[in-house]
Amino acid sequence: MEKKHHFQGFRKFSIKTRLVIALLMISIIPLVGISGYSFHIFSAALQEKLSASISQTLSMINLNMVSEIEKYQYLCGSICISEEIKKGLLKKDMTDMEKNQAILEIQSMIRNKIIYPAQAKNITVYDTDGNIFYDLGYDGFYQEDVDRILSQLEKQDQDVWAYAHTYRDRNILVLGRRIYEQYSKSRVIGYTLISIEEKIFSKTVLEPVGLSDSSNIIYMNLDGTVLSSWNRSIALGEKTDDELLKKIQERLPKKTDSFSIHENGEEQLVTYIFNKNLNQLFVYTMPYHYINSEVYAMLKQILVVVMFLVLLCIVIVAMVYQGIMSPIKRMLEFCREISGGKLSVRIQDKHKDELSRLSGSMDHMADTIEHLMDQQKTQEKKKRELELQMLQYQLNPHFLFNTLNSLRFVAAMHKDQIVSDGIQALSSLLQNTLTNKNEYITIQEELENLENYFSILRIRYAGSFEYSFHVEEDELLSCLVPKLILQPLAENSVMHGSSDNGTVMEIQITCWRENEDVMIELSDDGKGFEVTDDALAPHPERKRIGVANVNDRIQLNFGRKYGLKINSQPGKGTTCTLTLPELYADTLS
């Protein structure tokens, strides 16, 4: 009966160690897995709720910012449509008196007709050559900032928001707009720049939000230029982080969304809102350590409970361990006594569990061993008596070979060469088969045995057959095959294939390699016969060495892929083909 081999990897450890490993696998690992999964679920839920809350906060900031910006957009629009400013920009050759008069009219118009917000620090009007036409305020820009802002206004037909640093060391947001000719919007005649104190956004709009530790809100253009930030360590007017801007641009024109980035070695939750009218962004960043702080506190409490449960499991395992190991130790002691020859010892465990039943089986086994030992002593005595009787009937193979050699010498002395050769062949054949105990022999040895057998057959069937050998490769002569697989085929060919009309039958034995197999073919041109379906059917109880026995032996040794095939037709001869694996002594296991 074939035994099933299950996984035995833990057998190298003691039972105590295995119980501890089992404890880890069935208690600690699931608990840790559940804790980690709970942490992930709670963190994801908290992140989702915070993202929704932050999106609402950014929406409110966006509304407040829009309402604040509309004041400055209205101021900028009022200046851009002013008739006095347009007339002054169109008239290039004004005298100083005319220019002063125009500026007085513009100032009077601004003071009387335009609402001037408190945080508007400067109003500057430039002509298309970049020259200042009108300047209302007490602070100014550096020329490189002016050139940058005017260059942006030349390229895009919409309001431009930019950051600038003034002579008086102020952070200013600049709102720029084109001024068109009265009756031709396609013609630009100048530019208006409104300077707004940056603190109106960082202090008035962003600061009241009440951000958490390490969080930040950034107000920036679509190209990533930071216009304002709650965190004052961020450089205004500079480009924001490339990864942050790239991930936002991938999600546009989606109005709002959330994602994660790594910044300064820390993972951040980012939520943005996009103002399509202004082409500007509000970006809220929050570190994950703030999000997960509450979850970590809860995880610590879970770990305390887990440790308590693990200790409880260890106590239970220790109790179970004692209940298992106590009977096992008694069994081990029993086995040591039995192996030492003390067969009268017994365990006698009266409990009702599996170990008790095993102990009972071991006691029964000891009873059986003790009984068998008594039987063995009786059988050994009888066996010695039988061996003495068998020695009287043994035939010594050496006596048989010496007798055959003596007969061969007598036949040679009487000049009977045929009998001498036959006895020589029989002696060699018997010596190779009786004294050689190996199951496998080389093809060369098998062919030598076959040649000896043919020599014996020639005594009886002299002149009725001829034979020849052909091996395509010399290497095949050392290939191993089962002993006596060709002799039954040769016997069948000579005895049943020879004709009665005096015709000499040709027997050819051929050996060659085909794919990874060895093919041996024995063919004759004798009488032939009708091949039946059951000619090579397996016969487990067959004891004679015949053709079917050859096929049985090959398939029992090598499998159904190999064996004997017979092809014969009456009057056309017989071909027996053996298929064998290519097997050599150095690869034989």
Side-chain angles (χ1 to χ4, degrees):
M1 177 178 168
E2 184 180 355
K3 295 182 179 179
K4 294 182 179 179
H5 297 281
H6 300 286
F7 177 70
Q8 301 290 327
F10 290 111
R11 291 297 298 273
K12 60 185 178 182
F13 302 110
S14 66
I15 293 178
K16 183 177 181 180
T17 304
R18 278 182 268 169
L19 287 173
V20 173
I21 293 174
L23 169 68
L24 293 174
M25 295 180 68
I26 66 177
S27 61
I28 297 179
I29 294 177
L31 288 172
V32 172
I34 292 172
S35 301
Y37 182 72
S38 300
F39 175 81
H40 173 72
I41 294 297
F42 294 151
S43 179
L46 184 59
Q47 176 182 336
E48 184 178 354
K49 290 185 178 296
L50 280 174
S51 298
S53 176
I54 292 171
S55 295
Q56 293 178 356
T57 301
L58 290 179
S59 297
M60 294 177 61
I61 291 175
N62 182 52
L63 291 175
N64 293 337
M65 183 68 77
V66 168
S67 63
E68 190 69 31
I69 287 175
E70 284 178 348
K71 302 175 184 177
Y72 303 97
Q73 288 178 324
Y74 175 77
L75 172 62
C76 187
S78 300
I79 294 173
C80 289
I81 63 174
S82 168
E83 292 295 334
E84 291 81 356
I85 292 176
K86 287 185 178 184
K87 288 179 181 178
L89 290 172
L90 289 171
K91 193 172 183 181
K92 299 290 186 181
D93 53 351
M94 285 192 298
T95 63
D96 292 339
M97 184 178 295
E98 290 175 334
K99 187 172 183 179
N100 291 332
Q101 182 62 33
I103 289 174
L104 291 174
E105 292 176 358
I106 292 171
Q107 289 177 342
S108 175
M109 180 271 300
I110 290 175
R111 288 172 181 157
N112 297 327
K113 297 182 179 180
I114 297 178
I115 299 174
Y116 193 81
Q119 299 297 333
K121 300 303 179 183
N122 275 67
I123 299 176
T124 310
V125 178
Y126 291 87
D127 60 18
T128 54
D129 296 327
N131 300 315
I132 297 177
F133 172 72
Y134 174 75
D135 185 12
L136 174 61
Y138 56 91
D139 204 352
F141 305 127
Y142 292 99
Q143 188 60 41
E144 57 267 24
D145 291 332
V146 174
D147 295 339
R148 173 172 53 86
I149 297 170
L150 294 181
S151 176
Q152 288 180 315
L153 284 171
E154 290 176 0
K155 295 176 181 177
Q156 57 189 59
D157 184 16
Q158 58 183 4
D159 288 351
V160 170
W161 288 88
Y163 169 84
H165 203 70
T166 66
Y167 293 141
R168 295 177 179 246
D169 197 25
R170 292 177 180 270
N171 295 319
I172 296 296
L173 296 184
V174 180
L175 170 61
R177 185 178 294 182
R178 293 178 177 181
I179 302 175
Y180 293 97
E181 188 180 357
Q182 180 70 25
Y183 301 107
S184 177
K185 190 175 181 180
S186 61
R187 182 185 175 191
V188 179
I189 60 175
Y191 308 99
T192 299
L193 303 184
I194 306 294
S195 300
I196 308 166
E197 183 74 40
E198 184 272 336
K199 289 183 179 179
I200 187 176
F201 301 110
S202 60
K203 297 293 184 182
T204 307
V205 178
L206 301 183
E207 189 170 336
V209 175
L211 301 182
S212 61
D213 182 32
S214 302
S215 299
N216 189 29
I217 296 180
I218 303 173
Y219 172 47
M220 66 183 186
N221 282 332
L222 201 58
D223 62 355
T225 303
V226 177
L227 301 178
S228 182
S229 173
W230 181 82
N231 184 355
R232 306 311 290 178
S233 64
I234 294 179
L236 303 181
E238 301 293 334
K239 296 286 186 179
T240 188
D241 182 71
D242 292 338
E243 182 186 2
L244 172 64
L245 183 62
K246 181 181 178 181
K247 289 199 171 186
I248 292 177
Q249 290 175 346
E250 288 174 353
R251 289 162 171 79
L252 294 177
K254 193 174 181 180
K255 183 178 179 181
T256 182
D257 201 357
S258 296
F259 54 88
S260 298
I261 64 168
H262 281 84
E263 186 177 1
N264 299 325
E266 185 178 18
E267 192 172 10
Q268 303 266 349
L269 172 65
V270 178
T271 304
Y272 76 88
I273 188 167
F274 172 52
N275 189 316
K276 189 175 181 180
N277 295 329
L278 299 176
N279 262 356
Q280 291 173 336
L281 297 162
F282 288 98
V283 181
Y284 194 117
T285 61
M286 177 182 290
Y288 268 95
H289 73 78
Y290 175 79
I291 299 174
N292 295 329
S293 58
E294 295 295 331
V295 182
Y296 282 126
M298 181 179 62
L299 183 61
K300 290 179 181 178
Q301 297 177 0
I302 293 176
L303 290 177
V304 171
V305 175
V306 168
M307 292 302 298
F308 172 76
L309 293 176
V310 169
L311 292 175
L312 180 62
C313 291
I314 291 175
V315 172
I316 295 173
V317 168
M319 296 172 62
V320 174
Y321 171 75
Q322 290 298 326
I324 294 175
M325 285 306 299
S326 178
I328 289 179
K329 289 178 179 178
R330 293 176 61 188
M331 293 179 196
L332 292 173
E333 183 64 27
F334 166 80
C335 291
R336 280 194 292 267
E337 295 286 348
I338 290 291
S339 62
K342 192 176 180 180
L343 300 178
S344 61
V345 67
R346 298 293 183 269
I347 302 175
Q348 295 181 345
D349 190 341
K350 303 300 182 181
H351 293 86
K352 302 298 183 182
D353 61 355
E354 292 84 352
L355 292 176
S356 176
R357 291 196 291 271
L358 178 59
S359 299
S361 299
M362 295 176 73
D363 286 342
H364 177 70
M365 178 188 67
D367 293 336
T368 304
I369 291 174
E370 192 172 17
H371 176 68
L372 290 175
M373 290 294 289
D374 294 337
Q375 283 186 343
Q376 185 181 11
K377 291 178 181 179
T378 304
Q379 290 176 354
E380 284 291 334
K381 182 178 179 181
K382 188 175 181 179
K383 180 180 178 183
R384 284 194 295 270
E385 294 175 355
L386 292 174
E387 286 177 347
L388 291 174
Q389 295 176 7
M390 289 177 62
L391 286 174
Q392 299 174 8
Y393 299 101
Q394 280 186 337
L395 178 62
N396 192 331
H398 295 287
F399 173 75
L400 176 61
F401 298 144
N402 292 335
T403 302
L404 289 174
N405 285 330
S406 298
L407 292 175
R408 183 173 64 85
F409 290 144
V410 171
M413 290 174 62
H414 287 81
K415 297 183 180 181
D416 193 342
Q417 191 63 37
I418 295 177
V419 176
S420 176
D421 293 342
I423 292 174
Q424 173 66 35
L426 177 59
S427 177
S428 298
L429 183 61
L430 290 175
Q431 192 166 13
N432 289 337
T433 55
L434 290 178
T435 61
N436 188 353
K437 303 299 182 181
N438 294 327
E439 184 180 358
Y440 299 101
I441 61 175
T442 64
I443 291 179
Q444 182 172 356
E445 292 172 333
E446 180 69 10
L447 293 179
E448 290 174 357
N449 289 338
L450 183 60
E451 190 166 11
N452 288 327
Y453 186 68
F454 277 138
S455 297
I456 297 172
L457 290 177
R458 278 186 169 179
I459 298 176
R460 180 179 178 184
Y461 301 96
S464 64
F465 68 91
E466 294 291 338
Y467 64 90
S468 62
F469 300 118
H470 177 65
V471 180
E472 289 189 354
E473 301 178 34
D474 292 340
E475 182 185 0
L476 294 177
L477 291 173
S478 60
C479 183
L480 297 179
V481 295
K483 188 191 302 182
L484 291 178
I485 60 172
L486 293 179
Q487 180 267 334
L489 305 182
E491 179 183 5
N492 186 71
S493 179
V494 173
M495 295 182 64
H496 302 291
S498 300
S499 300
D500 300 329
N501 56 6
T503 305
V504 178
M505 180 178 62
E506 292 288 339
I507 300 176
Q508 294 183 350
I509 297 91
T510 308
C511 179
W512 72 94
R513 181 187 285 113
E514 186 173 297
N515 297 328
E516 296 182 357
D517 298 330
V518 174
M519 313 297 293
I520 303 177
E521 181 180 274
L522 189 148
S523 62
D524 64 63
D525 56 357
K527 293 188 296 184
F529 61 94
E530 192 70 35
V531 180
T532 59
D533 294 336
D534 59 347
L536 297 177
H539 299 284
E541 297 181 357
R542 180 185 283 115
K543 296 182 180 179
R544 62 182 180 87
I545 300 178
V547 174
N549 180 273
V550 172
N551 185 64
D552 294 348
R553 289 166 59 208
I554 293 175
Q555 293 191 346
L556 284 172
N557 279 280
F558 306 119
R560 293 290 179 181
K561 175 183 176 183
Y562 304 97
L564 171 63
K565 291 184 180 179
I566 298 178
N567 184 16
S568 182
Q569 293 182 10
K572 295 185 178 180
T574 303
T575 301
C576 300
T577 306
L578 295 173
T579 304
L580 298 158
E582 189 174 356
L583 187 66
Y584 296 93
D586 57 347
T587 60
L588 183 63
S589 175

